[in-house]
Every structure is written in C-alpha cells, then in structure tokens.
Amino acid sequence: MIKIPSQVNRALKILYDNGYSAYVVGGAVRDAFMGRSADDWDITTSALPQEILKAFNGFRVIETGIKHGTVTAIVEGMSIEITTYRVDGGYSDNRHPDSVRFTGRIEEDLMRRDFTMNAVAVSPGGETVDPFGGRDDIEKRLIRCVGEPEKRFKEDALRILRALRFSSVLNFKIEENTAESIHKCRELLKNVSCERIFAELCKLLCGQAAERILTDFSDVIFAVLPELEPMKNCGQKNPYHIYDVWIHTVRSVAAVAPERELRLAMLFHDSGKPKTKFTDENGIDHFYDHAKVSREIAEKSLARMKTSNKLRETVSGLVEYHDFCPHKISKKTYRRYIALLGADTVRSLFEIRRADSAAHAPFVYEQTLKENITGLKILEEIEKEDSCFSIKDLKINGKDLEKSGIEPSPLMGEVLERLLDEVMDDKTENEKEALLKRASELAKGAGNGNS
Ligand code: ATP
Ligand code: MG
C-alpha cells in the first residue's frame, strides 16, 4: 500500500463523489513503490476536461493543456495534474500525437504511457491496475517500454532520452529489447526540440549512474552532441593519462559534484583534444591550447541547445580554465580570474580540477589535492581582503572624477579601466586620494610610461 498525500486523496474523492473513476499514476506512484517521496502527483480520471473543471468549481484551477485533457487543480496549496483517460492518435513528427481521443477505460490510458514503471495506477482504496507488470519491473529495477519499443520510440523520440535519464537517476537497468531499440532509433532525436533534449540531458548527467549511461549509450549522446564524438578512441599517450579522451571524460563527469554546470563542464572540458592532438618524435601525445578549442566547442553546442547566456558563460569559463595551476599563480592573476569569471566560478575550478585529476593516472590525484590546498589558501586571503574586481569596487566613481576636472567622456571610462588594472596589479592603492592623484596623471597622459 502506498502513502498518498491528503490533498491528493481529497482530489480523488471529489472525482468519485461526482461519479467518475480516478487513480493516481506516473512518477509519484513509481517513486512511492520505491519508498521515495514525490512532489508531483498526477491523477488520471474518466471525467472529461469540462467535467473536471466543474467538479473542482471553487478551487483554483489552471487549464494547463485542456485540449489534451489536462487540468491543474490547486488543493490546499498542492498543484495536482488531473488528466482524462486518453488514447493518443498517430504520430507523424516523432514527438507529438496527431490527435488524442478520450476514453472511459483506465487500461487504454495506461497503454499510451512510456515505461511499465510509469504505467501503474492506484485507486484511493489501494487497488492497483498494472497490466504491464510495472510493479515487478520496479522491484527488478528495470526500464521496459510499454508495448513494442521501436514503435514507441518512433512515436515519440524524446522517450529515448527519458529512458536514459530514468536509468541514470534511479540507477535502473534498461531491458534488452528496449536498449536495442534505443540504439537503433537514436537518430530520431533530431526531430525533438533542443530545449527538451537539453533538460533531459542535464538530469541524465547529474544522475547516480551517469558513468554507465555515457559508456553504454555514447552513440545516443553523440546523436544529440555530435561535437563530442571525435573524443571516442582518441588516444592520449603520455605519462599523465591511462584512458583515451572519451573514457577519461566519462570518468571525470562521474567524479565531479552532481551539479548541472559542473557536469556539463566536465563533459566538454577535453572536447578540443582531438583537434589539437600532436604526437612528438618520441611518440608522446600533446594537446597544446586544447582548452580554448574545448571552450569554442562548448559555446557552440550550448548555443545550439538554446541555453541561457548565464549557463553558457559559466560552463565555457570552467572549460577554458580547467587546466589552471592554482598553486603557481599570483594574487594578481587570481584577481583577474575573479574579475573575468566571478568568485563562484573560480571556486568551482578547484572542484573541476579535482574531478579531472581523479580520471588521470593515479599519481596525479594526490598531487592535485595538494596544489588545490595551496591555491585555495591564496584565494581565501584575497576573499578576506577588501578586494577590488570591477570598476564599481573602486573607491572613486565618475562623480569624483568630474569634480577633479575629468568630464564624462570616453577618456573617463579609459581612466577608470586603467585604475582598476593598476589596483588589481597592486600598482595603485584602492584609496580615494591615491586614486584621484593617479587619475589626473593618467588623464594628462603622464601615467603611460609607468606601467
Ligand atoms: P518525473 O516527474 O520524476 O520526471 P514522471 O514519470 O512523473 O517522472 P512526467 O514527465 O511527470 O514524468 O510524466 C508523468 C507521466 O506521464 C509518466 O510517468 C508517464 O506515465 C507519462 N509520460 C510522460 N511523458 C511521456 C512520454 N513522452 N510518452 C509517454 N508517456 C509519457
Ligand atoms: Mg512527474
């Protein structure tokens, strides 16, 4: 017996009291059988959309997807999706049903659902409708298509990535026929919107079994991110590495903290290696400036995925600087990094390095941890100081310059930029008097010989 929240039970009762049948279904039921708590509860019912609206008269309702039969009701503060039992018509675009038909039979509704584990319905009394053995598969931790896998993936190719995502997040195996069809149908993902692909990809990357999925289904990953494919079988013969570039990448993704930006950065960090590979006369492989090329690849791929600018900038910054040497750089350089990337991203670079080195030859890891400790000490010192990383951190502003006779003009902007440079380089103190003096020198052109 699963535990259904009181709000959901209340919604089910409202439907029953109005003469309809209704069940909880989908991810929340699956999670409940696994002993996991869920936030998003879905109800499926014989009531037609207009009938749902009528039954929930007096509640706040949102007509989420009324054409497809979905209404969201807010019951005691909880949003509950209520959908009419439905049969999906043909699919001609590999993603959306051409039409939907409402039905009075729960079994028909369960047939349209993607995987057996997601096609179990439970009534308020605890009666389970489970025509495809979903509970058994949950028990066995197995992802299996409802019906014939190839047909189901051709209907809606997003299901391919949903399968991989569930497998990664829940650490479920993918049943053999389902897995085979995933490989076979992977190119159909080209017909799915990049936003949906990206959302699934991020969840997949942050899942507990990301390493297994990226290894066993690399062909599917390359179908959505072809830029990554050259990493596969790209050897790196040098003392630091024991894996090829793709295996190293996959291991480093799994080693980094499961946050979207960090996992994406690991996925792309060495993507520029195949293009920059150079084998010297001793047979040793070098990849000069690969991080810059990796950055270009990350930027281009993420732009294609239509991600936010902020996410793209963070990931690209992490990729470009993943190879930095935290123990060797000066405070001045740290300040430049902070000015360029932001303090949070600079901190994340340490985690990126740690994960990167965990996927190198074993001796590299210990060394990296030591270097990180040294680097973090420098960073902490900077953070304790009253540091200055941008023009707004300067102890003077445009108004102060105006008072001292520098009119608002491109020259004023240049002077402020120069002052910031000099403060970050410890050449000028970030004190009002010193800055004003230096500003007037710079404005007169007297400071040029000084730096
Ligand atoms: P989670 O919410 O944890 O991501 P979920 O299984 O609840 O997982 P939703 O996207 O919320 O996934 O969908 C709810 C239910 O709707 C699923 O459990 C499944 O039964 C059905 N479903 C969702 N997307 C599809 C799809 N593309 N094809 C077929 N059935 C689907
Ligand atoms: Mg859900």
Side-chain angles (χ1 to χ4, degrees), residues 46-308:
S46 62
L48 294 170
Q50 292 306 326
E51 295 170 335
I52 302 173
L53 290 178
K54 211 164 150 209
F56 283 86
N57 184 19
F59 288 85
R60 200 156 94 75
V61 289
I62 305 160
E63 298 185 14
T64 322
I66 198 130
K67 267 209 258 158
H68 295 102
T70 304
V71 167
T72 304
I74 321 284
V75 181
E76 295 158 30
M78 185 190 262
S79 296
I80 304 169
E81 279 211 349
I82 305 173
T83 306
T84 309
Y85 302 153
R86 176 184 113 185
V87 179
D88 293 340
Y91 290 77
S92 43
D93 66 352
N94 306 123
R95 173 71 189 108
H96 307 95
D98 299 332
S99 62
V100 303
R101 172 168 70 76
F102 299 129
T103 163
R105 294 188 55 228
I106 175 74
E107 289 80 4
E108 277 195 301
D109 178 87
L110 295 176
M111 274 171 72
R112 76 172 168 90
R113 295 179 182 271
D114 46 7
F115 307 112
T116 59
M117 62 179 188
N118 290 341
V120 182
V122 178
S123 76
E127 176 213 351
T128 302
V129 185
D130 180 14
F132 311 107
R135 283 194 68 180
D136 227 33
D137 284 340
I138 293 169
E139 192 82 21
K140 290 189 201 134
R141 305 175 73 83
L142 209 56
I143 294 171
R144 183 199 307 272
C145 278
V146 169
E148 213 245 296
E150 202 175 318
K151 177 167 168 270
R152 303 309 311 281
F153 293 132
K154 281 182 178 156
E155 285 175 355
D156 177 0
L158 183 67
R159 290 172 188 153
I160 295 171
L161 275 189
R162 279 175 62 88
L164 301 193
R165 182 257 289 192
F166 285 126
S167 179
S168 176
V169 171
L170 303 171
N171 197 12
F172 277 27
K173 284 254 153 47
I174 301 177
E175 178 273 330
E176 218 174 293
N177 290 325
T178 301
E180 198 179 304
S181 301
I182 286 175
H183 290 296
K184 197 167 166 196
C185 297
R186 64 184 187 274
E187 293 302 329
L188 295 177
L189 279 164
K190 302 241 152 43
N191 303 326
V192 176
S193 80
C194 50
E195 292 90 342
R196 299 303 294 261
I197 287 182
F198 188 65
E200 294 297 335
L201 187 68
C202 290
K203 290 187 204 166
L204 182 170
L205 286 173
C206 292
Q208 53 178 319
E211 183 172 350
R212 173 171 54 77
I213 296 298
L214 293 177
T215 305
D216 295 349
F217 294 92
S218 59
D219 55 337
V220 182
I221 304 300
F222 299 150
V224 294
L225 288 171
E227 296 88 346
L228 302 181
E229 187 154 11
M231 285 197 276
K232 187 141 187 171
N233 300 322
C234 176
Q236 32 187 0
K237 197 165 167 289
N238 65 41
Y240 305 103
H241 280 284
I242 50 176
Y243 305 115
D244 74 25
V245 180
W246 178 244
I247 297 174
H248 160 74
T249 296
V250 169
R251 294 181 76 104
S252 68
V253 168
V256 85
E259 288 168 30
R260 192 173 63 153
E261 284 79 355
L262 299 180
R263 294 233 155 165
L264 282 166
M266 285 323 321
L267 187 66
F268 284 104
H269 80 286
D270 276 351
S271 57
K273 276 192 168 175
K275 269 193 198 151
T276 54
K277 182 167 169 172
F278 159 74
T279 308
D280 70 19
E281 63 275 17
N282 301 317
I284 303 294
D285 294 330
H286 304 272
F287 305 91
Y288 297 120
D289 272 342
H290 73 274
K292 281 214 174 71
V293 181
S294 300
R295 182 202 167 102
E296 284 163 20
I297 292 174
E299 274 186 322
K300 208 172 131 225
S301 307
L302 295 174
R304 202 182 64 243
M305 294 274 168
K306 300 192 184 142
T307 66
S308 72

Side-chain angles (χ1 to χ4, degrees), residues 358-373:
H360 275 68
F363 77 91
V364 178
Y365 193 60
E366 288 294 309
Q367 199 177 316
T368 301
L369 291 185
K370 282 190 200 138
E371 292 165 0
N372 273 4
I373 290 171

Side-chain angles (χ1 to χ4, degrees), residues 26-28 30 40-42:
R30 175 196 71 224
D40 295 331
W41 285 81
D42 297 316

